[in-house]
Amino acid sequence: MRGNKRFLWIFLIIFLFFGAIFFQVVEYSKQSKRIIHEQRDYILHEHAETMKVNLLQRIEEQYNLLDAVAKYIMGLNEFSTNDIHDFMQYMDFYSCFDEFGIANVETGVVEFEQGNRIDVSGETFFKDPVHGMRSLGFFHNEVDGRTQLVLSIPLINRDGVVTSVLIGTLNHPLIVNSIYHNFYDKNSFLYVMDNGGNILSKGGEGNFLQDYSNIFTYLEANNIETGEIQHNIEKNEISIFSHNNGEEKRFMTYIPLGIHDWYLFCSTPDYVVSHCASEFELLGANIIFKIILLCGAACVILYAFIARATLSIKKEHERFKLAEEVAGMISFEGDYGKDILVVNDNYYKQFGREPSFQTISDFKKPHPYILEEDREAFQKMGLNLIAGKETGSIEYRTLCKDGSIQWHQFVYRVWHDRGGAPIKCYGMIVPIDQQMKEILKLQMQVEKDSLTGALNRMTFENSVNLCFDEPELANKRHAMMILDLDNFKQINDGYGHALGDHALVTTTEIIKASVRSSDYVGRLGGDEFVVFLKNVSEEQATKKAAEICEALEKAELKSDEAVVTCSIGIACYPKDGIRFNQLYEAADKALYKVKGSGKNSYSMAD
């Protein structure tokens, strides 16, 4: 039972341990995916912010460059676009401009370096500089069909009058390449769009939006819901989403530029982003591997522990079985639900027969091989076992197959369920014959007269007084007889102690044969004996005294000079006393009355 409980606890611990590990691995996997997604979005967000800052810085640099051009040409008495071209040759490595143009403030016509003349009088990037402000805008060049980012500043003379407007068109691919960094590659694309999704500027050939002028048109054509994207744009918020472009997965990031209602829109292939998350995934895989390795080590340790515990239990069981066989112990196990009792083979080896109790309920029946004097006590213990009393034990005598009588001890223990109902019982039947014989021998030495086997004075007195304390006996009538041998001194002195001892032993046997086993027979000393008769009347007591006198006379314990007879004094409970000493005094007086009137008779106390 203890071993089963131990394994139950072990397997429960194992189940909980691996359940916790499994839960942690699943939870870690979920957390890892979430963190990887957050890490990816964070990377895209940070790089979009960086490119926005870089773009604004680049535009500011181009404004500064345009200011330098303005100062240069305003220092000339007369100037043309050729003068600008000559000046920019020295600053080309700073410049992202495609070409420059000077617009007439009166007509609004701009003349570019290539000689193209275009009317821009309706454009904001012309109107703002006319009023003395620099401007940034997009211009659709009808000559070559391109939409270009345009920077413009006023040219102001020494009198503070705007004489013309200096315009520079920016090279979009050149700007994009200058603000990219090592996070992106050639398959990443950068666009400027307005809050309506219209692409204001895109660079180069071969990009995946080449055939589209509006981002939302492209997304809707690819079955991508644009409602949330448009909502975020209206709220001027940065956002990130992904979509599959054929077999390629791309991440889209859009961020407000803070200029007009423009947005910087970035399109990046998945592999560019995934290599940043791969290190984290590798770290996660490494941790999971370590957890699995730890679980494996735990399995080995638990297996070793279980194997060791199993071996230990097995050895313990073998030692117990061996001890049972050597000691002759009989073990049994009972099941209350099935009402069965299983007894080991030692029962047959010891008694040469099958046990008479095959079920737990068999204990309510009298056991045929238990001595009659012990059956009642054994059956009482059996009823306690049937009722499920937690523990019990009893010593009893058993009649063996060879006719011998041996002492055994029956010990049991009952296990109950949570409701208190008995479920199992376990126990042993242990041979204690040698021990009981030693105990009885010691008990006889303490309680009985060593010569005759009758109770000694102290034991007899205690036994009698205990009877008076028992409720069942205290209200009944009893009798106590004091018996003294007549002429014993002549035999003992004339023929020696051997014949005297023989007379004492014979007298004891005659008295025991004359009374019941429940009565007490004692030797007070010398040739004086005492008998306590339970539950008798005065007539029954006198009749029993007459029987003893007659039996002793017939025994013919005699010598050439004398015959051993006896004189008896009788006292009755409760008439003559209620304790041993009171009855003794009364019986002793009656005895001496008999001695004084001729001996070999009996007398009742007055």
Side-chain angles (χ1 to χ4, degrees), residues 556-587:
E556 296 184 346
L557 297 173
K558 60 184 179 179
S559 66
D560 295 339
E561 298 179 358
V563 176
V564 176
T565 57
C566 70
S567 299
I568 301 175
I570 307 170
C572 293
Y573 171 93
K575 178 174 72 70
D576 300 319
I578 57 173
R579 304 303 289 176
F580 170 81
N581 289 336
Q582 295 170 343
L583 293 173
Y584 178 81
E585 289 178 6

PDB file of all heavy atoms in Angstrom, residues 556-587:
ATOM      1  N   GLU A 556      -6.571 -41.600  51.277  1.00  0.00           N
ATOM      2  CA  GLU A 556      -5.748 -42.391  52.197  1.00  0.00           C
ATOM      3  C   GLU A 556      -4.314 -41.899  52.237  1.00  0.00           C
ATOM      4  O   GLU A 556      -3.365 -42.644  52.003  1.00  0.00           O
ATOM      5  CB  GLU A 556      -5.786 -43.876  51.821  1.00  0.00           C
ATOM      6  CG  GLU A 556      -7.180 -44.479  51.955  1.00  0.00           C
ATOM      7  CD  GLU A 556      -7.187 -45.975  51.679  1.00  0.00           C
ATOM      8  OE1 GLU A 556      -6.172 -46.488  51.137  1.00  0.00           O
ATOM      9  OE2 GLU A 556      -8.183 -46.626  51.978  1.00  0.00           O
ATOM     10  N   LEU A 557      -4.178 -40.595  52.489  1.00  0.00           N
ATOM     11  CA  LEU A 557      -2.853 -40.037  52.725  1.00  0.00           C
ATOM     12  C   LEU A 557      -2.530 -40.317  54.197  1.00  0.00           C
ATOM     13  O   LEU A 557      -2.972 -39.622  55.104  1.00  0.00           O
ATOM     14  CB  LEU A 557      -2.859 -38.534  52.441  1.00  0.00           C
ATOM     15  CG  LEU A 557      -3.170 -38.126  51.000  1.00  0.00           C
ATOM     16  CD1 LEU A 557      -3.299 -36.620  50.907  1.00  0.00           C
ATOM     17  CD2 LEU A 557      -2.101 -38.629  50.051  1.00  0.00           C
ATOM     18  N   LYS A 558      -1.714 -41.349  54.437  1.00  0.00           N
ATOM     19  CA  LYS A 558      -1.493 -41.780  55.828  1.00  0.00           C
ATOM     20  C   LYS A 558      -0.114 -42.369  56.000  1.00  0.00           C
ATOM     21  O   LYS A 558       0.572 -42.700  55.050  1.00  0.00           O
ATOM     22  CB  LYS A 558      -2.552 -42.787  56.225  1.00  0.00           C
ATOM     23  CG  LYS A 558      -2.564 -44.056  55.356  1.00  0.00           C
ATOM     24  CD  LYS A 558      -3.701 -44.984  55.744  1.00  0.00           C
ATOM     25  CE  LYS A 558      -3.694 -46.232  54.830  1.00  0.00           C
ATOM     26  NZ  LYS A 558      -4.775 -47.172  55.189  1.00  0.00           N
ATOM     27  N   SER A 559       0.205 -42.507  57.271  1.00  0.00           N
ATOM     28  CA  SER A 559       1.435 -43.189  57.686  1.00  0.00           C
ATOM     29  C   SER A 559       1.026 -44.237  58.734  1.00  0.00           C
ATOM     30  O   SER A 559      -0.157 -44.449  58.997  1.00  0.00           O
ATOM     31  CB  SER A 559       2.414 -42.176  58.277  1.00  0.00           C
ATOM     32  OG  SER A 559       1.880 -41.644  59.481  1.00  0.00           O
ATOM     33  N   ASP A 560       2.032 -44.878  59.305  1.00  0.00           N
ATOM     34  CA  ASP A 560       1.714 -45.880  60.336  1.00  0.00           C
ATOM     35  C   ASP A 560       1.075 -45.236  61.553  1.00  0.00           C
ATOM     36  O   ASP A 560       0.350 -45.909  62.309  1.00  0.00           O
ATOM     37  CB  ASP A 560       2.978 -46.625  60.767  1.00  0.00           C
ATOM     38  CG  ASP A 560       3.554 -47.459  59.618  1.00  0.00           C
ATOM     39  OD1 ASP A 560       2.772 -47.770  58.679  1.00  0.00           O
ATOM     40  OD2 ASP A 560       4.768 -47.730  59.623  1.00  0.00           O
ATOM     41  N   GLU A 561       1.326 -43.971  61.752  1.00  0.00           N
ATOM     42  CA  GLU A 561       0.871 -43.327  62.964  1.00  0.00           C
ATOM     43  C   GLU A 561      -0.345 -42.434  62.755  1.00  0.00           C
ATOM     44  O   GLU A 561      -1.066 -42.139  63.709  1.00  0.00           O
ATOM     45  CB  GLU A 561       1.994 -42.479  63.566  1.00  0.00           C
ATOM     46  CG  GLU A 561       3.218 -43.310  63.971  1.00  0.00           C
ATOM     47  CD  GLU A 561       4.316 -42.429  64.539  1.00  0.00           C
ATOM     48  OE1 GLU A 561       4.120 -41.194  64.579  1.00  0.00           O
ATOM     49  OE2 GLU A 561       5.353 -42.968  64.908  1.00  0.00           O
ATOM     50  N   ALA A 562      -0.597 -41.962  61.540  1.00  0.00           N
ATOM     51  CA  ALA A 562      -1.675 -41.001  61.355  1.00  0.00           C
ATOM     52  C   ALA A 562      -2.215 -41.062  59.930  1.00  0.00           C
ATOM     53  O   ALA A 562      -1.526 -41.468  58.995  1.00  0.00           O
ATOM     54  CB  ALA A 562      -1.191 -39.586  61.648  1.00  0.00           C
ATOM     55  N   VAL A 563      -3.518 -40.550  59.798  1.00  0.00           N
ATOM     56  CA  VAL A 563      -4.179 -40.415  58.504  1.00  0.00           C
ATOM     57  C   VAL A 563      -4.465 -38.921  58.282  1.00  0.00           C
ATOM     58  O   VAL A 563      -4.959 -38.242  59.198  1.00  0.00           O
ATOM     59  CB  VAL A 563      -5.498 -41.214  58.466  1.00  0.00           C
ATOM     60  CG1 VAL A 563      -6.215 -40.984  57.146  1.00  0.00           C
ATOM     61  CG2 VAL A 563      -5.240 -42.697  58.674  1.00  0.00           C
ATOM     62  N   VAL A 564      -4.165 -38.439  57.051  1.00  0.00           N
ATOM     63  CA  VAL A 564      -4.370 -37.023  56.737  1.00  0.00           C
ATOM     64  C   VAL A 564      -5.832 -36.815  56.371  1.00  0.00           C
ATOM     65  O   VAL A 564      -6.347 -37.414  55.430  1.00  0.00           O
ATOM     66  CB  VAL A 564      -3.465 -36.556  55.587  1.00  0.00           C
ATOM     67  CG1 VAL A 564      -3.776 -35.108  55.238  1.00  0.00           C
ATOM     68  CG2 VAL A 564      -2.009 -36.723  55.964  1.00  0.00           C
ATOM     69  N   THR A 565      -6.473 -35.937  57.149  1.00  0.00           N
ATOM     70  CA  THR A 565      -7.828 -35.479  56.834  1.00  0.00           C
ATOM     71  C   THR A 565      -7.794 -33.948  56.811  1.00  0.00           C
ATOM     72  O   THR A 565      -6.724 -33.334  56.900  1.00  0.00           O
ATOM     73  CB  THR A 565      -8.833 -35.993  57.868  1.00  0.00           C
ATOM     74  OG1 THR A 565      -8.414 -35.549  59.171  1.00  0.00           O
ATOM     75  CG2 THR A 565      -8.909 -37.525  57.852  1.00  0.00           C
ATOM     76  N   CYS A 566      -8.956 -33.319  56.744  1.00  0.00           N
ATOM     77  CA  CYS A 566      -8.968 -31.854  56.743  1.00  0.00           C
ATOM     78  C   CYS A 566     -10.120 -31.298  57.554  1.00  0.00           C
ATOM     79  O   CYS A 566     -11.159 -31.952  57.702  1.00  0.00           O
ATOM     80  CB  CYS A 566      -9.016 -31.315  55.334  1.00  0.00           C
ATOM     81  SG  CYS A 566     -10.576 -31.590  54.486  1.00  0.00           S
ATOM     82  N   SER A 567      -9.903 -30.084  58.065  1.00  0.00           N
ATOM     83  CA  SER A 567     -10.939 -29.329  58.768  1.00  0.00           C
ATOM     84  C   SER A 567     -11.196 -28.060  57.949  1.00  0.00           C
ATOM     85  O   SER A 567     -10.263 -27.429  57.453  1.00  0.00           O
ATOM     86  CB  SER A 567     -10.488 -28.976  60.176  1.00  0.00           C
ATOM     87  OG  SER A 567     -10.245 -30.168  60.918  1.00  0.00           O
ATOM     88  N   ILE A 568     -12.497 -27.671  57.825  1.00  0.00           N
ATOM     89  CA  ILE A 568     -12.857 -26.552  56.942  1.00  0.00           C
ATOM     90  C   ILE A 568     -13.742 -25.574  57.688  1.00  0.00           C
ATOM     91  O   ILE A 568     -14.721 -25.971  58.338  1.00  0.00           O
ATOM     92  CB  ILE A 568     -13.594 -27.053  55.689  1.00  0.00           C
ATOM     93  CG1 ILE A 568     -12.740 -28.046  54.897  1.00  0.00           C
ATOM     94  CG2 ILE A 568     -14.007 -25.868  54.798  1.00  0.00           C
ATOM     95  CD1 ILE A 568     -13.440 -28.677  53.716  1.00  0.00           C
ATOM     96  N   GLY A 569     -13.367 -24.259  57.582  1.00  0.00           N
ATOM     97  CA  GLY A 569     -14.212 -23.195  58.092  1.00  0.00           C
ATOM     98  C   GLY A 569     -14.802 -22.412  56.919  1.00  0.00           C
ATOM     99  O   GLY A 569     -14.081 -22.084  55.964  1.00  0.00           O
ATOM    100  N   ILE A 570     -16.090 -22.074  56.986  1.00  0.00           N
ATOM    101  CA  ILE A 570     -16.789 -21.461  55.856  1.00  0.00           C
ATOM    102  C   ILE A 570     -17.355 -20.106  56.265  1.00  0.00           C
ATOM    103  O   ILE A 570     -17.999 -19.996  57.324  1.00  0.00           O
ATOM    104  CB  ILE A 570     -17.931 -22.352  55.350  1.00  0.00           C
ATOM    105  CG1 ILE A 570     -17.417 -23.772  55.040  1.00  0.00           C
ATOM    106  CG2 ILE A 570     -18.607 -21.740  54.126  1.00  0.00           C
ATOM    107  CD1 ILE A 570     -18.517 -24.779  54.767  1.00  0.00           C
ATOM    108  N   ALA A 571     -17.105 -19.069  55.423  1.00  0.00           N
ATOM    109  CA  ALA A 571     -17.717 -17.744  55.621  1.00  0.00           C
ATOM    110  C   ALA A 571     -18.422 -17.348  54.328  1.00  0.00           C
ATOM    111  O   ALA A 571     -17.955 -17.667  53.229  1.00  0.00           O
ATOM    112  CB  ALA A 571     -16.645 -16.715  55.960  1.00  0.00           C
ATOM    113  N   CYS A 572     -19.575 -16.681  54.452  1.00  0.00           N
ATOM    114  CA  CYS A 572     -20.385 -16.343  53.276  1.00  0.00           C
ATOM    115  C   CYS A 572     -20.415 -14.831  53.024  1.00  0.00           C
ATOM    116  O   CYS A 572     -20.458 -14.039  53.962  1.00  0.00           O
ATOM    117  CB  CYS A 572     -21.819 -16.861  53.475  1.00  0.00           C
ATOM    118  SG  CYS A 572     -21.917 -18.667  53.511  1.00  0.00           S
ATOM    119  N   TYR A 573     -20.427 -14.480  51.756  1.00  0.00           N
ATOM    120  CA  TYR A 573     -20.543 -13.076  51.298  1.00  0.00           C
ATOM    121  C   TYR A 573     -21.988 -12.840  50.914  1.00  0.00           C
ATOM    122  O   TYR A 573     -22.596 -13.688  50.216  1.00  0.00           O
ATOM    123  CB  TYR A 573     -19.638 -12.845  50.090  1.00  0.00           C
ATOM    124  CG  TYR A 573     -19.826 -11.513  49.392  1.00  0.00           C
ATOM    125  CD1 TYR A 573     -19.053 -10.427  49.740  1.00  0.00           C
ATOM    126  CD2 TYR A 573     -20.793 -11.351  48.394  1.00  0.00           C
ATOM    127  CE1 TYR A 573     -19.226  -9.210  49.089  1.00  0.00           C
ATOM    128  CE2 TYR A 573     -20.970 -10.134  47.748  1.00  0.00           C
ATOM    129  CZ  TYR A 573     -20.182  -9.065  48.098  1.00  0.00           C
ATOM    130  OH  TYR A 573     -20.364  -7.854  47.459  1.00  0.00           O
ATOM    131  N   PRO A 574     -22.580 -11.791  51.329  1.00  0.00           N
ATOM    132  CA  PRO A 574     -22.042 -10.654  52.108  1.00  0.00           C
ATOM    133  C   PRO A 574     -22.366 -10.754  53.604  1.00  0.00           C
ATOM    134  O   PRO A 574     -22.071  -9.836  54.348  1.00  0.00           O
ATOM    135  CB  PRO A 574     -22.748  -9.461  51.474  1.00  0.00           C
ATOM    136  CG  PRO A 574     -24.101 -10.010  51.096  1.00  0.00           C
ATOM    137  CD  PRO A 574     -23.895 -11.452  50.711  1.00  0.00           C
ATOM    138  N   LYS A 575     -22.946 -11.879  54.003  1.00  0.00           N
ATOM    139  CA  LYS A 575     -23.379 -12.017  55.408  1.00  0.00           C
ATOM    140  C   LYS A 575     -22.217 -11.865  56.373  1.00  0.00           C
ATOM    141  O   LYS A 575     -22.313 -11.145  57.379  1.00  0.00           O
ATOM    142  CB  LYS A 575     -24.072 -13.372  55.607  1.00  0.00           C
ATOM    143  CG  LYS A 575     -24.520 -13.663  57.041  1.00  0.00           C
ATOM    144  CD  LYS A 575     -25.303 -14.948  57.109  1.00  0.00           C
ATOM    145  CE  LYS A 575     -24.387 -16.147  56.907  1.00  0.00           C
ATOM    146  NZ  LYS A 575     -23.487 -16.366  58.045  1.00  0.00           N
ATOM    147  N   ASP A 576     -21.097 -12.541  56.099  1.00  0.00           N
ATOM    148  CA  ASP A 576     -19.980 -12.555  57.040  1.00  0.00           C
ATOM    149  C   ASP A 576     -18.891 -11.540  56.683  1.00  0.00           C
ATOM    150  O   ASP A 576     -17.902 -11.405  57.424  1.00  0.00           O
ATOM    151  CB  ASP A 576     -19.374 -13.962  57.101  1.00  0.00           C
ATOM    152  CG  ASP A 576     -20.383 -15.001  57.555  1.00  0.00           C
ATOM    153  OD1 ASP A 576     -21.152 -14.682  58.478  1.00  0.00           O
ATOM    154  OD2 ASP A 576     -20.425 -16.094  56.946  1.00  0.00           O
ATOM    155  N   GLY A 577     -18.995 -10.853  55.602  1.00  0.00           N
ATOM    156  CA  GLY A 577     -17.999  -9.863  55.208  1.00  0.00           C
ATOM    157  C   GLY A 577     -18.106  -9.542  53.726  1.00  0.00           C
ATOM    158  O   GLY A 577     -18.661 -10.327  52.942  1.00  0.00           O
ATOM    159  N   ILE A 578     -17.554  -8.347  53.379  1.00  0.00           N
ATOM    160  CA  ILE A 578     -17.613  -7.938  51.964  1.00  0.00           C
ATOM    161  C   ILE A 578     -16.218  -7.758  51.372  1.00  0.00           C
ATOM    162  O   ILE A 578     -16.088  -7.352  50.219  1.00  0.00           O
ATOM    163  CB  ILE A 578     -18.420  -6.641  51.804  1.00  0.00           C
ATOM    164  CG1 ILE A 578     -17.829  -5.522  52.644  1.00  0.00           C
ATOM    165  CG2 ILE A 578     -19.884  -6.879  52.146  1.00  0.00           C
ATOM    166  CD1 ILE A 578     -18.463  -4.170  52.422  1.00  0.00           C
ATOM    167  N   ARG A 579     -15.177  -8.016  52.139  1.00  0.00           N
ATOM    168  CA  ARG A 579     -13.799  -7.985  51.640  1.00  0.00           C
ATOM    169  C   ARG A 579     -13.096  -9.255  52.084  1.00  0.00           C
ATOM    170  O   ARG A 579     -13.568  -9.996  52.968  1.00  0.00           O
ATOM    171  CB  ARG A 579     -13.035  -6.760  52.149  1.00  0.00           C
ATOM    172  CG  ARG A 579     -13.655  -5.428  51.846  1.00  0.00           C
ATOM    173  CD  ARG A 579     -13.879  -5.202  50.378  1.00  0.00           C
ATOM    174  NE  ARG A 579     -12.646  -4.987  49.636  1.00  0.00           N
ATOM    175  CZ  ARG A 579     -12.594  -4.836  48.323  1.00  0.00           C
ATOM    176  NH1 ARG A 579     -13.714  -4.901  47.601  1.00  0.00           N
ATOM    177  NH2 ARG A 579     -11.452  -4.636  47.718  1.00  0.00           N
ATOM    178  N   PHE A 580     -11.967  -9.537  51.487  1.00  0.00           N
ATOM    179  CA  PHE A 580     -11.237 -10.774  51.761  1.00  0.00           C
ATOM    180  C   PHE A 580     -10.909 -10.905  53.245  1.00  0.00           C
ATOM    181  O   PHE A 580     -11.130 -11.967  53.858  1.00  0.00           O
ATOM    182  CB  PHE A 580      -9.954 -10.803  50.914  1.00  0.00           C
ATOM    183  CG  PHE A 580      -9.021 -11.926  51.297  1.00  0.00           C
ATOM    184  CD1 PHE A 580      -9.226 -13.215  50.827  1.00  0.00           C
ATOM    185  CD2 PHE A 580      -7.954 -11.710  52.179  1.00  0.00           C
ATOM    186  CE1 PHE A 580      -8.377 -14.260  51.196  1.00  0.00           C
ATOM    187  CE2 PHE A 580      -7.105 -12.743  52.543  1.00  0.00           C
ATOM    188  CZ  PHE A 580      -7.314 -14.026  52.054  1.00  0.00           C
ATOM    189  N   ASN A 581     -10.351  -9.873  53.862  1.00  0.00           N
ATOM    190  CA  ASN A 581      -9.907  -9.956  55.262  1.00  0.00           C
ATOM    191  C   ASN A 581     -11.067 -10.254  56.203  1.00  0.00           C
ATOM    192  O   ASN A 581     -10.919 -11.029  57.175  1.00  0.00           O
ATOM    193  CB  ASN A 581      -9.229  -8.649  55.679  1.00  0.00           C
ATOM    194  CG  ASN A 581      -7.876  -8.477  55.001  1.00  0.00           C
ATOM    195  OD1 ASN A 581      -7.257  -9.457  54.601  1.00  0.00           O
ATOM    196  ND2 ASN A 581      -7.430  -7.231  54.865  1.00  0.00           N
ATOM    197  N   GLN A 582     -12.230  -9.689  55.930  1.00  0.00           N
ATOM    198  CA  GLN A 582     -13.397  -9.932  56.769  1.00  0.00           C
ATOM    199  C   GLN A 582     -13.859 -11.384  56.659  1.00  0.00           C
ATOM    200  O   GLN A 582     -14.159 -12.051  57.673  1.00  0.00           O
ATOM    201  CB  GLN A 582     -14.534  -8.984  56.364  1.00  0.00           C
ATOM    202  CG  GLN A 582     -14.219  -7.522  56.615  1.00  0.00           C
ATOM    203  CD  GLN A 582     -15.256  -6.593  55.996  1.00  0.00           C
ATOM    204  OE1 GLN A 582     -16.035  -7.002  55.125  1.00  0.00           O
ATOM    205  NE2 GLN A 582     -15.260  -5.337  56.449  1.00  0.00           N
ATOM    206  N   LEU A 583     -13.888 -11.882  55.449  1.00  0.00           N
ATOM    207  CA  LEU A 583     -14.294 -13.281  55.249  1.00  0.00           C
ATOM    208  C   LEU A 583     -13.265 -14.240  55.827  1.00  0.00           C
ATOM    209  O   LEU A 583     -13.618 -15.305  56.373  1.00  0.00           O
ATOM    210  CB  LEU A 583     -14.504 -13.557  53.754  1.00  0.00           C
ATOM    211  CG  LEU A 583     -15.677 -12.821  53.091  1.00  0.00           C
ATOM    212  CD1 LEU A 583     -15.651 -13.054  51.581  1.00  0.00           C
ATOM    213  CD2 LEU A 583     -17.007 -13.289  53.672  1.00  0.00           C
ATOM    214  N   TYR A 584     -11.991 -13.872  55.687  1.00  0.00           N
ATOM    215  CA  TYR A 584     -10.937 -14.742  56.216  1.00  0.00           C
ATOM    216  C   TYR A 584     -11.065 -14.890  57.726  1.00  0.00           C
ATOM    217  O   TYR A 584     -10.957 -16.007  58.278  1.00  0.00           O
ATOM    218  CB  TYR A 584      -9.565 -14.168  55.834  1.00  0.00           C
ATOM    219  CG  TYR A 584      -8.408 -14.983  56.379  1.00  0.00           C
ATOM    220  CD1 TYR A 584      -7.986 -16.135  55.740  1.00  0.00           C
ATOM    221  CD2 TYR A 584      -7.771 -14.605  57.560  1.00  0.00           C
ATOM    222  CE1 TYR A 584      -6.939 -16.894  56.246  1.00  0.00           C
ATOM    223  CE2 TYR A 584      -6.722 -15.351  58.077  1.00  0.00           C
ATOM    224  CZ  TYR A 584      -6.301 -16.491  57.420  1.00  0.00           C
ATOM    225  OH  TYR A 584      -5.262 -17.245  57.935  1.00  0.00           O
ATOM    226  N   GLU A 585     -11.252 -13.785  58.424  1.00  0.00           N
ATOM    227  CA  GLU A 585     -11.374 -13.838  59.884  1.00  0.00           C
ATOM    228  C   GLU A 585     -12.571 -14.691  60.312  1.00  0.00           C
ATOM    229  O   GLU A 585     -12.476 -15.497  61.257  1.00  0.00           O
ATOM    230  CB  GLU A 585     -11.517 -12.426  60.441  1.00  0.00           C
ATOM    231  CG  GLU A 585     -10.243 -11.606  60.347  1.00  0.00           C
ATOM    232  CD  GLU A 585     -10.446 -10.182  60.862  1.00  0.00           C
ATOM    233  OE1 GLU A 585     -11.549  -9.907  61.381  1.00  0.00           O
ATOM    234  OE2 GLU A 585      -9.510  -9.372  60.725  1.00  0.00           O
ATOM    235  N   ALA A 586     -13.678 -14.528  59.608  1.00  0.00           N
ATOM    236  CA  ALA A 586     -14.873 -15.311  59.964  1.00  0.00           C
ATOM    237  C   ALA A 586     -14.656 -16.787  59.704  1.00  0.00           C
ATOM    238  O   ALA A 586     -15.027 -17.655  60.522  1.00  0.00           O
ATOM    239  CB  ALA A 586     -16.066 -14.786  59.171  1.00  0.00           C
ATOM    240  N   ALA A 587     -14.061 -17.131  58.559  1.00  0.00           N
ATOM    241  CA  ALA A 587     -13.818 -18.534  58.222  1.00  0.00           C
ATOM    242  C   ALA A 587     -12.768 -19.149  59.137  1.00  0.00           C
ATOM    243  O   ALA A 587     -12.856 -20.348  59.501  1.00  0.00           O
ATOM    244  CB  ALA A 587     -13.395 -18.631  56.753  1.00  0.00           C
TER     245      ALA A 587
END
